[in-house]
Amino acid sequence: MDVTLNLTHACNLACPYCYAGAKDDRAMSADVAERALQLALEDDAEHVQISFFGGEPLLRFELLEAYTRLAQERLGTGGAGRTLAFTLTTNGTAFTPAKLEFLKAQKFFVGFSMDGGRAAQDASRPFVNGGSSFEAVLRGLKSVQAAGLSYEVILVTDPTNVRSLGESVRFIVAQGVHKVSLNPNFSADWTDEDLEHWERGYEEAAAVYLETLRDGRPLALNILDEKIHTWVKDGFKARDHCQFGNTGVAVAPSGNIYPCERLVGEDRDLRFCIGDVFTGFTARRDELLRCISGTPSDCTGCALSARCMNWCPCQNFADSGQIDRPGGLLCWHDQVAVRVADTAATQLFEEQNPLFLRRFYG
Amino acid sequence: MARRVNPVGMQAEPSYPNQRSRSRRDFLELLALGSVGVLAGLPAGVRAEEPSEEPSEPLFELMDLEGGYTLEFSVSCGPGAPTRKTLNKVRKRVTRYVAKNVTPNGMHDPVTLQGYHAALTAILEEVLEPVVLQGVSLGHNCRKLCPPAPRTRGARPLIDSDPEL
């Protein structure tokens, strides 16, 4: 089982859209970490991913370091014999040479959150004192690149920054990033005008994608890639779906277990709590898993249902307030994403773009 | 603003092919067309002109290499088609390159993968000359060689089959 350790509720940024809620200094104790890592042995998976999340996990780097070593000891080839992979999701402001060296040595995959150029970054990801985080984040990105870490940049799409979405993608790609994930905030209050900007932003992002591939440089852009893949391979497959409480869980600093890190929040609303590391899973886990099986009834008959992320409980919850059905925003979004992706893919195919062909047909 | 789910009816299918409808051979032919344009120094999107002589069927070669890797390539056929001896030489050189340089992780990194293809193309061009190389594809048995690709936490889930994850 894959386990995400929500190492701390503390963060040095104050992003208005953060689903982790209000921040404080609660952090995961060694007891909780030890028990949480035992969850990874719940099934017989040969490969286990241990992820560090927060808050900002690098603010408690000593814990990250200690629990990485603990995981290797308990789960790795010296312990239970699993193959381990480590990931870190970070706001990019707290790297030091020593931290980078450790992450590199442990082959961490880094999810680096950044919303674009100065204006976009500072509009949605300021420091807690309201100051600009742009310079610190850009330094962080350069240091991750220089250290040779595997990484992707995660850009949250939100009404606060959607007007510069295309420009933001262009800025990030211009920094030498070749893997970009756009992460929509479906819980925000989107106006019709915002949606127009969003659609235009995707079209501009697709233009960057086309330019980059035509220039012979690889670029992974999740919103386009996933929709192209779902056409090429005829829809999402079961293995594409997230592990939501089944083969993957998130553990809060308190030891409470959640099906996904996106539902931990402040760890005060226990609707989605499925147990704790000391007493194990509760019946709530099975209730939630039963709830999310099958195509949402609202989507029956939709020609794009197989290419839609209506199966993601957390996106559904953010949009509709229910984990088993999408709302109209996700529906609108995925229809736009399919249109933009198919337009881009058609052009690249007609041009016989070698990178495109290798990527999707190789 | 509350919005409602709005299922869409039957739509025209996208005009780029679905893998179900393409054989491996068809794909390599696609790849060859794209690569010829690039090798000839043409801007992407411009295909190399068809040879003026009578077109001949390209030769497709699939090699199983040690360590779970495969190499597929196509070359122009006809009087200059590569001999068995030449193909053995290709295998030897490519096997040496793969053993020394290629890793499962590298196969999942778009920049590294591009480097592999460039190096293999150079090897093949050198060994096969004067035969014209049309397409090269290095594959690997991902299920056998690779642990699952890491998934970043907190973001929209990424699909598992993305080769660049």
Side-chain angles (χ1 to χ4, degrees):
Chain A
M1 178 178 289
D2 291 349
V3 178
T4 299
L5 302 179
N6 279 45
L7 213 53
T8 173
H9 287 282
C11 188
N12 55 341
L13 296 191
C15 314
Y17 49 60
C18 182
Y19 48 68
K23 305 299 187 295
D24 56 56
D25 61 0
R26 285 173 291 164
M28 184 173 284
S29 67
D31 273 359
V32 169
E34 172 102 36
R35 296 283 194 143
L37 292 171
Q38 287 299 316
L39 290 172
L41 301 172
E42 286 273 320
D43 54 27
D44 56 2
E46 195 182 327
H47 306 292
V48 172
Q49 179 173 310
I50 303 297
S51 303
F52 291 93
F53 198 73
E56 171 48 49
L58 289 183
L59 295 183
R60 297 305 304 269
F61 184 73
E62 78 285 6
L63 300 183
L64 183 149
E65 197 172 9
Y67 302 160
T68 300
R69 296 197 195 286
L70 188 63
Q72 284 166 331
E73 198 180 298
R74 298 287 192 274
L75 308 172
T77 46
R82 310 299 209 249
T83 304
L84 282 178
F86 294 105
T87 76
L88 161 72
T89 302
T90 175
N91 64 31
T93 61
F95 285 109
T96 63
K99 290 175 186 175
L100 288 162
E101 195 180 327
F102 177 81
L103 297 170
K104 171 79 175 169
Q106 304 301 331
K107 299 187 172 70
F108 265 76
F109 183 84
V110 176
F112 190 107
S113 289
M114 178 181 191
D115 281 355
R118 185 183 295 277
Q121 173 74 17
D122 290 343
S124 48
R125 303 185 67 80
F127 278 118
V128 284
N129 64 6
S132 167
S133 64
F134 177 71
E135 297 293 347
V137 169
L138 199 56
R139 263 199 314 278
L141 179 63
K142 296 298 170 195
S143 66
V144 164
Q145 291 172 326
L149 281 160
S150 297
Y151 73 99
E152 68 171 328
V153 166
I154 301 164
L155 189 162
V156 177
T157 313
D158 182 77
T160 55
N161 60 25
V162 75
R163 280 163 176 71
S164 54
L165 176 58
E167 195 184 309
S168 296
V169 171
R170 185 174 293 283
F171 176 83
I172 288 168
V173 172
Q175 305 313 306
V177 175
H178 57 74
K179 201 175 287 183
V180 182
S181 281
L182 304 182
N183 190 28
N185 176 10
F186 287 113
S187 62
D189 189 14
W190 293 83
T191 65
D192 286 340
E193 195 187 342
D194 291 334
L195 298 195
E196 283 172 27
H197 286 288
W198 199 351
E199 187 162 3
R200 203 171 310 139
Y202 275 2
E203 285 164 356
E204 289 166 12
V208 175
Y209 186 79
L210 288 168
E211 284 166 29
T212 310
L213 266 63
R214 282 170 179 158
D215 199 31
R217 290 174 291 134
L219 175 63
L221 184 60
N222 68 333
I223 293 291
L224 302 186
D225 291 347
E226 77 181 25
K227 295 309 179 201
I228 297 170
H229 271 304
T230 58
W231 168 247
V232 170
K233 67 179 187 147
D234 201 21
F236 283 111
K237 305 297 177 199
R239 67 172 182 273
D240 299 326
H241 294 197
C242 43
Q243 303 149 306
F244 197 76
N246 184 17
T247 57
V249 295
V251 178
S254 65
N256 281 337
I257 307 171
Y258 291 83
C260 177
E261 63 283 350
R262 299 176 73 158
L263 297 173
V264 174
E266 296 169 20
D267 190 25
R268 301 188 202 282
D269 175 354
L270 302 181
R271 269 179 299 172
F272 295 109
C273 180
I274 55 173
D276 75 68
V277 294
F278 298 103
T279 57
F281 290 106
T282 62
R284 182 66 174 146
R285 180 195 194 191
D286 290 335
E287 278 173 33
L288 292 179
L289 289 176
R290 271 198 302 275
C291 203
I292 58 166
S293 56
T295 304
S297 56
D298 292 350
C299 304
T300 308
C302 178
L304 296 180
S305 183
R307 302 181 68 189
C308 177
M309 283 191 73
N310 54 18
W311 46 263
C312 175
C314 298
Q315 292 197 154
N316 286 345
F317 180 68
D319 186 12
S320 69
Q322 296 174 67
I323 59 170
D324 56 346
R325 56 190 303 187
L329 184 62
L330 176 64
C331 178
W332 171 87
H333 172 274
D334 275 40
Q335 289 184 32
V336 169
V338 164
R339 180 185 67 72
V340 175
D342 284 349
T343 303
T346 298
Q347 289 180 50
L348 290 166
F349 177 73
E350 281 172 359
E351 295 166 10
Q352 303 290 306
N353 182 284
L355 289 177
F356 173 81
L357 294 176
R358 282 202 184 103
R359 179 91 184 279
F360 294 101
Y361 299 95
Chain B
M1 182 182 295
R3 291 183 177 79
R4 299 181 61 177
V5 170
N6 181 25
V8 295
M10 287 303 287
Q11 296 195 314
E13 290 197 335
S15 57
Y16 59 105
N18 184 311
Q19 202 160 29
R20 278 177 309 156
S21 63
R22 291 268 162 176
S23 67
R24 183 75 197 163
R25 190 186 174 99
D26 281 346
F27 161 68
L28 208 61
E29 202 168 348
L30 288 175
L31 188 60
L33 284 169
S35 298
V36 167
V38 171
L39 290 173
L42 300 171
V46 180
R47 291 184 191 185
E49 282 181 23
E50 292 292 331
S52 53
E53 301 123 41
E54 196 172 313
S56 55
E57 276 287 305
L59 170 78
F60 291 87
E61 189 68 30
L62 169 63
M63 290 181 174
D64 282 318
L65 306 172
E66 285 170 26
Y69 296 96
T70 55
L71 180 78
E72 287 183 73
F73 61 92
S74 59
V75 293
S76 61
C77 208
T83 61
R84 191 46 49 194
K85 197 176 165 190
T86 309
L87 291 175
N88 283 339
K89 198 172 169 190
V90 166
R91 175 185 289 280
K92 219 169 167 180
R93 289 277 304 273
V94 165
T95 300
R96 201 182 313 145
Y97 173 82
V98 169
K100 223 170 149 184
N101 299 284
V102 178
T103 64
N105 278 347
M107 293 296 292
H108 289 267
D109 181 85
V111 173
T112 311
L113 183 60
Q114 201 178 19
Y116 295 159
H117 276 113
L120 289 167
T121 301
I123 291 171
L124 289 167
E125 281 178 335
E126 185 193 322
V127 178
L128 294 171
E129 197 190 7
V131 175
V132 177
L133 179 67
Q134 293 191 322
V136 181
S137 177
L138 179 67
H140 75 302
N141 185 339
C142 191
R143 296 266 168 228
K144 187 176 156 198
L145 295 175
C146 303
R151 292 185 178 208
T152 306
R153 296 300 174 189
R156 184 175 165 97
L158 294 166
I159 67 175
D160 204 21
S161 57
D162 188 330
E164 295 187 353
L165 281 175

